[in-house]
Amino acid sequence: MVSTTSPPDSHHPDSLTLEVVELIGEVVARFHEDYEEAAAEHALTGAQARLLSLLCLEPLPMRRLARRLKCEPSNVTGIVDRLEARGLVERQPDPADRRVKVAAATSEGRRVTRSLRESLRFAREPLAGLSEGERVALRDALRGMLGVV
């Protein structure tokens, strides 16, 4: 069978590529909407939830958090202050440089993050309708787009 679409051209994408780009945009928008709703159910803003999620992976200094969140360090300080007041985050000395403070998720912060992730419905429900082979193919395609092996 002969393909009716030509390979994508980075300067003039074909209609299939444009449709895929639009679908990715819609998926991202719906995910963000679901994430914001899930965060609100835990009395968090989206920014607070994202920061807390990052800190569940590893303690980070404010400047690295700001880079990862693509915002100003002063904004990160305010977010950490509010999460610290709720007992979800704590400041600790950096083991590599005791002059530097890192923010770290507390056990309660990790519990809240786990609960938030479990409450995300948008991606989980449609993915459950795909076969394992379809989910593997989707995962591999997304990894390929991101350059992740």
Side-chain angles (χ1 to χ4, degrees):
M1 185 162 160
V2 177
S3 173
T4 58
T5 60
S6 57
D9 172 349
S10 63
H11 299 291
H12 303 287
D14 62 278
S15 61
L16 176 60
T17 299
L18 290 173
E19 182 181 5
V20 169
V21 167
E22 288 296 319
L23 290 169
I24 289 170
E26 182 64 24
V27 166
V28 168
R30 287 189 190 181
F31 177 80
H32 280 292
E33 184 179 310
D34 191 32
Y35 196 85
E36 293 286 332
E37 287 174 14
E41 289 172 12
H42 292 83
L44 296 170
T45 65
Q48 288 171 335
R50 285 187 293 280
L51 186 144
L52 188 55
S53 182
L54 284 172
L55 294 179
C56 284
L57 300 174
E58 64 178 323
L60 292 167
M62 301 297 176
R63 289 197 184 282
R64 282 211 5 233
L65 275 169
R67 278 196 304 272
R68 295 240 181 113
L69 294 172
K70 296 176 177 44
C71 67
E72 292 297 317
S74 59
N75 292 346
V76 169
T77 299
I79 295 169
V80 169
D81 287 346
R82 287 185 286 285
L83 292 173
E84 189 174 35
R86 289 187 52 193
L88 303 176
V89 167
E90 62 187 1
R91 287 177 169 88
Q92 306 170 339
D94 186 337
D97 183 349
R98 310 241 345 130
R99 296 170 296 173
V100 176
K101 293 280 189 187
V102 296
T106 63
S107 58
E108 178 64 7
R110 288 188 293 279
R111 186 197 66 73
V112 167
T113 299
R114 208 171 22 259
S115 176
L116 189 148
R117 284 184 184 141
E118 289 169 1
S119 68
L120 293 173
R121 293 169 294 280
F122 166 69
R124 185 178 56 236
E125 291 171 3
L127 287 172
L130 300 177
S131 70
E132 182 177 354
E134 290 169 324
R135 289 192 314 271
V136 167
L138 178 58
R139 179 204 61 202
D140 292 348
L142 293 170
R143 283 181 174 175
M145 287 180 71
L146 295 171
V148 177
V149 180

